[in-house]
Amino acid sequence: MSADIDHPPADAARALRGKVAVVTGAGGGIGRYIAQSLGEAGASVAIGDVDESGLEESRALLAASGIPVIARPVDVTSEAQLAELMAATAKAFGGIDISVNNAAIVTHSHWKAKWPDLDEMPRTFWDKVIDTNVGGVYLTTKHVAPYLRARGGGHVINLYGGGPLRPGTGAYALSKDAVAVFTRHSAVELEPDGICVLCVDPGGAIATDDAPDEIKARYPGVDSLEDLFVQAASAPMNLTGEKVMFPREGAKVLAPVPPNHPPQRRIMGYDPYALAPPTSSFTLVSDDFKNGGAIPFECYADDRGKNASPSLKWYDLPDGTESLVITAYDADTPIPGGIWHWLVKDVPVSGPAGELLHGAAPDLPAPAVALTNDLGQAGYSGMRPPPFSGMHHIYFCATALKVPTLEIPDDATIAQAHIMMIPHTLGRAVLVGTSVAP
């Protein structure tokens, strides 16, 4: 065996005892967590990554945890390097039972550089994303399949992903949908050999170790994945070809993504103003929370809260502002399109600054009026994230209008109100707060 392998205690009770796993893209982030979780469940682990320093750090961390581990520098677009990784794994551990095809290029995250728009995107950039994210899954599966077949079966685990459909994300979004299709087709081909092929959806954005503190405050960390990949690595054959995830509610037991489940990039953290017509900007703040920070429980409507609307203050309104529209939108609900918790129109202004006090929702300053929200209430409905649904992002928005009254029907929906305010809009300010599920 390779000299860089350490062994866990012999008496450790593990769900994957005796199994051997290969994890690509394991030099950090989710890949490192996957390798750690499979190893802690009893598997011997081979890890690969193009980031050699991160790869060595991962190897050292796994070894320090008593996990049998080998590491090899691997570019998943290289057949030769993947073939060497599989051969080295089988030589070190006697075979392969699990392949986690995690390696991918993901640089459109909030804390990384924006990807180029389509009309500015070099063909080489597009090709690199597709070759890595799709071609890498194909090549890894191709080279691991003979080893799984030799063991009488095994598991191939691909990763789904997403994000808002914004300029610059097209190559990544397409690559991940292609991985889901490849999962279904390879499952059919490999099923006679007892090889279960899954596409695992983490269920939302994950803040990795290299993310800034502001991002870590908004999104769950890798430990929120718990034993998702351990369950995937021992999933029954009746799940082969499926896209799977932890349900949003109830026990965290691996299950197929429901047919009507909206794609992650439509609802998870979706900015409702991302595609709105551009306007001038001004400032919106709160005494109750900072931008990106936690909304106090007093503003919740579940048993932790008092259903109090948060303090909102605005500054530097555009010249000519006659009234404001205030809205609150939960971007992370399991409901397609999210939930609008609040829309108040005709908020009066008296100068470039003003405010709504904490708990002002029941007694709005005249002539302000609240529309019926998506929860059927004419007023403010506080946060009530469903159990096990993780962190939610609530977009509070103040829209400056050049008319004192937004003329809309009494029974207008919030969507209709947004359409009707467009020609009167002078500026917009957004403040994002987070709420957490119990």
Side-chain angles (χ1 to χ4, degrees), residues 190-202:
L190 297 174
E191 184 175 11
D193 299 309
I195 299 171
C196 180
V197 187
L198 299 174
C199 189
V200 173
D201 182 351

Side-chain angles (χ1 to χ4, degrees), residues 271-273 282 284 289 295 309-312 314 324-331 339-347 356 364 369-374 379-381 383 393-401 406 408 413-419 421 425 427-433:
D271 180 352
Y273 305 101
F282 56 98
L284 182 66
F289 63 95
I295 299 170
S309 59
S311 150
L312 294 174
W314 49 89
L324 292 177
V325 173
I326 304 293
T327 56
Y329 170 80
D330 185 341
I339 288 180
W340 293 94
H341 284 257
W342 199 22
L343 187 147
V344 180
K345 75 180 190 75
D346 302 345
V347 176
L356 287 179
L364 295 168
V369 60
L371 272 63
T372 300
N373 60 29
D374 285 349
Y380 171 81
S381 295
M383 288 59 260
H393 300 83
I394 315 301
Y395 285 75
F396 290 89
C397 178
T399 303
L401 302 185
L406 181 63
I408 58 175
T413 65
I414 290 180
Q416 289 172 321
H418 274 92
I419 293 171
M421 74 172 74
T425 297
R428 183 181 303 111
V430 177
L431 174 67
V432 180

Side-chain angles (χ1 to χ4, degrees), residues 40 46-47 107 145 185 197 232 246 259 295 310 340 369 379 418 426:
E40 289 178 351
I47 56 177
T107 59
H185 282 271
V197 187
F246 280 155
I295 299 170
W340 293 94
V369 60
H418 274 92
L426 294 174

